[in-house]
Amino acid sequence: MPRQSIPLAIADLSQFSRALGAELAVRPDKPPSHLSLLNMLARAAGFRNFQHLRVGAAPAADPAPPSPEAPPEPVDPRRIAKVAGSFDAEGRLTRWPSKRAQQILCLWALWARLPAATPMSEREIGDRLEALHLFGDPAILRRDLVGLGLFRRDPGGSTYLRLEQAPPAEARLLIRELASRSRPQRP
């Protein structure tokens, strides 16, 4: 069975090398084993361990590039309306949906309202998320944003950065719906 290659994207090479150096410094007596080195590399890149990297970086089955004739992504307007109902008039999330698909759409909407290319401390992202929801649990939102790959957290957990990517079609519609609520209506 051929080995599966596991990609490793490093957002900040300097931070990565510092984290890896710190991991290696605690083991000056002998070189690390193969698995220990894989775990160190994964932790330096922001993963819990090599298994976490492997699961999070599992490549999809060679997706074909979209052709001009490809049909648009399917969109369920009922789901968008239901998820939009989880937000108040100011665009704050009032409750955490129980269904995972709805949670993911909510996370995309929150992602769109957080600043791009702005490193934030855990306290800063917590404060921003606190202002974007009303059910009092910014930690679940922060963890899920990182878990979905919408944010990257440095290995020490002190800095968070929004990862830029194109939202799926349903998320784009929800983001537009919520943005239209916060714009003042002209007479």
Side-chain angles (χ1 to χ4, degrees), residues 43-114:
R43 282 192 297 269
F47 296 89
R48 287 188 303 268
N49 53 35
F50 178 66
Q51 286 299 99
H52 184 225
L53 165 67
R54 193 169 154 193
V55 170
D62 291 323
S67 65
E69 309 85 41
E73 295 177 55
V75 174
D76 183 357
R78 290 175 302 179
R79 182 181 344 196
I80 305 236
K82 184 164 180 82
V83 173
S86 297
F87 290 84
D88 68 6
E90 288 82 38
R92 293 175 300 188
L93 186 59
T94 58
R95 63 177 185 80
W96 188 233
S98 58
K99 294 185 179 177
R100 186 63 180 160
Q102 293 175 2
Q103 291 173 357
I104 290 170
L105 284 175
C106 290
L107 290 168
W108 275 107
L110 296 174
W111 171 87
R113 297 190 56 200
L114 292 166

Side-chain angles (χ1 to χ4, degrees), residues 1-176:
M1 183 167 156
R3 288 187 186 256
Q4 175 187 8
S5 64
I6 300 169
L8 176 62
I10 301 169
D12 182 354
L13 188 57
S14 177
Q15 176 67 27
F16 176 84
S17 63
R18 272 194 301 268
L20 184 56
E23 287 265 353
L24 290 169
V26 297
R27 300 182 56 122
D29 54 331
K30 61 181 181 174
S33 68
H34 178 72
L35 182 57
S36 294
L37 186 57
L38 287 173
N39 283 327
M40 287 178 192
L41 289 167
R43 282 192 297 269
F47 296 89
R48 287 188 303 268
N49 53 35
F50 178 66
Q51 286 299 99
H52 184 225
L53 165 67
R54 193 169 154 193
V55 170
D62 291 323
S67 65
E69 309 85 41
E73 295 177 55
V75 174
D76 183 357
R78 290 175 302 179
R79 182 181 344 196
I80 305 236
K82 184 164 180 82
V83 173
S86 297
F87 290 84
D88 68 6
E90 288 82 38
R92 293 175 300 188
L93 186 59
T94 58
R95 63 177 185 80
W96 188 233
S98 58
K99 294 185 179 177
R100 186 63 180 160
Q102 293 175 2
Q103 291 173 357
I104 290 170
L105 284 175
C106 290
L107 290 168
W108 275 107
L110 296 174
W111 171 87
R113 297 190 56 200
L114 292 166
T118 305
M120 292 177 273
S121 69
E122 185 170 332
R123 180 179 213 79
E124 289 171 313
I125 193 168
D127 290 346
R128 288 179 186 266
L129 288 171
E130 195 70 51
L132 294 175
H133 81 289
L134 300 175
F135 56 88
D137 193 356
I140 193 170
L141 300 173
R142 187 182 67 243
R143 282 192 302 267
D144 275 358
L145 285 166
V146 171
L148 267 175
L150 301 177
F151 268 76
R152 177 169 296 277
R153 182 180 76 122
D154 76 349
S158 62
T159 306
Y160 291 79
L161 183 67
R162 185 175 114 168
L163 297 175
E164 297 309 303
Q165 52 198 298
E170 283 186 333
R172 286 192 306 268
L173 287 174
L174 177 63
I175 291 165
R176 257 185 258 147

